[in-house]
Amino acid sequence: MVRVVTGDETGLAKVVRLEKKIIAPKFGEQGKMLAVERMCFSGATGDPNGAEGEIALARRDGVVLGYDLQSGTQRWRMKGVSGCIKGMEVFEVDGERTLLTCMDTGAVEVKTLSDAQRAARIFQISKPVQTIRVLPRYNLLAAGGDNMDLELWDLTTQQQSFKARNVKNDFLDLRVPLSVVGIESLENDPNKWIYASAHQELRIYDIRVQKRPVQIYKTGEVKITTFCLWRDPTTRVEYPIIGEAEGRIAKFEMRKGGLLAGVMKGSAGSIRGLMCHPTLPLVASVGLDRHLRVHHIKSRKTLFKVYLKQRLTSVLFTSDLEETDDDKKPKVAQDDDENDSEGEMYPEVQSEEEEAAQAEEEEEEEERSEEH
């Protein structure tokens, strides 16, 4: 059984149980300035449902809300420094849940969730920020934005430890534009980073070698809107996956020089959120066409399609439930309030071993028929 959480432009979050055609619970407050900008799991380690028992929603007005993922009840509410939240992470420091938020102005606020009375730590980084990534194990914050290249900050000392340099000017001696829309750490190594630029580029950095990117991959001619990194659980190989403004989702092979490894189609609007399942070869996407789609990464087939009525901004995959036999027969869910949208059934996805066995059986049958 697979669950996906989505956030939309009106401020609602929905938990979608794909295989049972259930959308529950549904929580949040609706309003023009209450759009969900960021989402992350915020449960404590001792929570009965683990870290995924609670979810934090960052709204456009700068308010962060914590909700119980099972019942949809609100647990806590926080309002930090002024600005639009462009990045949010919840992690544990010395056994205490810590909330980190980063505004577009570069203001970073670190606050302990278990002690609301404790003063928050606030420090300033470069601006304008569009996305962040936190490595709690190394107390490291990575940030990037519009014409703001990759920066690494030490959360303990609140000092910058690395600042990337842009590539050399083009043939007209003009600065090469960049706009970071997603950052990930390669192999969870604090020295290796990859980010996607809205200007159709994937850039890879090894901070031990140089400040400029060690590899640059071109992705096409369409603006990149979102980015995630899929780690194959069997081979441990990492694949960048991007979402584009025209609705295309593309996977790239870094071992072959950034070669395009596959395209997942179906979306009719700009992709605004991507997330890969932690253990299964699945990627969830949401966007302006108001649909949640789940694709099989290896076969690139659409497994689930859910109409959710509002324009979607963010998505999260839960990992608390394992794949069952029912998951292998995917269905299409739809919002329980939407009666005029028909679901579409998709065929079962076979594994590579099953496909090979089926091909061998077909060849044997052909040989028998030729003999007779």
Side-chain angles (χ1 to χ4, degrees):
M1 186 165 65
V2 179
R3 294 187 301 168
V4 182
V5 188
T6 64
D8 61 48
E9 285 188 349
T10 68
L12 290 179
K14 299 176 183 179
V15 181
V16 183
R17 303 170 189 268
L18 297 173
E19 72 294 333
K20 291 187 176 181
K21 300 184 180 181
I22 298 175
I23 299 175
K26 184 189 303 183
F27 47 87
E29 303 172 6
Q30 289 185 287
K32 184 176 181 180
M33 293 300 297
L34 306 183
V36 178
E37 293 286 342
R38 296 290 185 270
M39 296 194 308
C40 69
F41 293 115
S42 58
T45 305
D47 192 293
N49 297 314
E52 296 178 355
E54 182 181 284
I55 188 171
L57 305 182
R59 301 191 318 202
R60 185 171 296 169
D61 60 355
V63 175
V64 182
L65 304 172
Y67 288 93
D68 184 281
L69 199 59
Q70 299 294 329
S71 63
T73 56
Q74 183 177 319
R75 290 184 175 180
W76 48 269
R77 176 189 181 103
M78 288 188 178
K79 171 67 174 175
V81 296
S82 60
C84 181
I85 297 177
K86 291 299 184 180
M88 177 178 66
E89 297 277 356
V90 175
F91 50 93
E92 290 198 359
V93 178
D94 299 329
E96 295 183 334
R97 283 189 302 157
T98 302
L99 170 68
L100 183 147
T101 56
C102 183
M103 307 297 175
D104 56 350
T105 59
V108 178
E109 183 177 18
V110 183
K111 188 172 181 60
T112 304
L113 290 176
S114 57
D115 187 0
Q117 303 300 324
R118 188 182 302 180
R121 293 185 292 122
I122 302 175
F123 63 97
Q124 186 72 30
I125 65 174
S126 303
K127 62 180 182 180
V129 177
Q130 287 190 159
T131 184
I132 67 167
R133 182 63 60 204
V134 177
L135 290 185
R137 180 180 176 184
Y138 302 99
N139 289 320
L140 204 59
L141 167 69
D146 189 17
N147 286 322
M148 172 187 166
D149 217 326
L150 175 67
E151 294 183 2
L152 302 181
W153 291 76
D154 191 309
L155 294 176
T156 304
T157 62
Q158 301 178 6
Q159 298 296 317
Q160 186 183 96
S161 59
F162 175 80
K163 181 177 176 60
R165 291 183 62 189
N166 198 358
V167 297
K168 296 180 180 180
N169 292 351
D170 61 15
F171 69 99
L172 293 175
D173 199 28
L174 298 176
R175 186 179 187 274
V176 177
L178 62 92
S179 181
V180 183
V181 297
I183 305 174
E184 292 288 349
S185 171
L186 292 172
E187 303 172 358
N188 287 322
D189 189 334
N191 298 310
K192 299 177 182 179
W193 295 87
I194 179 173
Y195 75 68
S197 171
H199 298 278
Q200 307 92 38
E201 284 185 345
L202 292 171
R203 296 189 178 190
I204 298 177
Y205 289 83
D206 189 335
I207 66 174
R208 298 166 299 184
V209 178
Q210 61 185 27
K211 292 187 176 182
R212 286 195 168 105
V214 294
Q215 291 286 344
I216 299 179
Y217 304 141
K218 297 293 183 179
T219 62
E221 299 179 356
V222 182
K223 176 183 177 182
I224 300 175
T225 54
T226 185
F227 162 76
C228 68
L229 194 66
W230 179 60
R231 298 177 175 90
D232 191 325
T234 56
T235 62
R236 302 298 179 185
V237 178
E238 296 176 317
Y239 299 88
I241 300 178
I242 63 168
E244 296 180 341
E246 292 184 355
R248 188 182 75 152
I249 301 172
K251 180 180 74 170
F252 293 87
E253 172 66 84
M254 291 188 292
R255 296 178 301 175
K256 298 180 180 180
L259 185 68
L260 180 64
V263 175
M264 288 158 270
K265 301 179 181 179
S267 179
S270 175
I271 305 296
R272 294 302 173 90
L274 279 177
M275 185 175 183
C276 297
H277 194 278
T279 57
L280 303 177
L282 303 176
V283 59
S285 63
V286 296
L288 300 186
D289 67 346
R290 306 166 191 252
H291 283 83
L292 161 69
R293 289 180 174 82
V294 177
H295 289 85
H296 194 281
I297 296 177
K298 294 184 177 179
S299 68
R300 304 189 300 279
K301 292 182 179 179
T302 304
L303 302 184
F304 302 99
K305 176 182 175 182
V306 189
Y307 179 72
L308 295 175
K309 299 178 67 176
Q310 288 85 18
R311 297 201 297 181
L312 306 173
T313 59
S314 50
V315 62
L316 285 177
F317 247 132
T318 63
S319 61
D320 54 348
L321 298 173
E322 298 180 353
E323 185 178 27
T324 63
D325 293 337
D326 292 335
D327 292 334
K328 298 177 182 179
K329 299 177 181 180
K331 305 172 184 177
V332 171
Q334 64 184 30
D335 198 331
D336 21 8
D337 295 333
E338 181 66 25
N339 298 320
D340 58 353
S341 177
E342 292 294 329
E344 181 181 358
M345 298 299 293
Y346 293 93
E348 179 178 355
V349 176
Q350 293 180 321
S351 64
E352 295 179 357
E353 293 79 5
E354 292 174 342
E355 291 178 353
Q358 184 177 352
E360 290 178 1
E361 291 177 359
E362 292 176 354
E363 290 178 359
E364 291 176 358
E365 290 179 0
E366 291 178 358
E367 291 177 357
R368 293 194 196 100
S369 61
E370 292 175 357
E371 290 176 357
H372 294 293

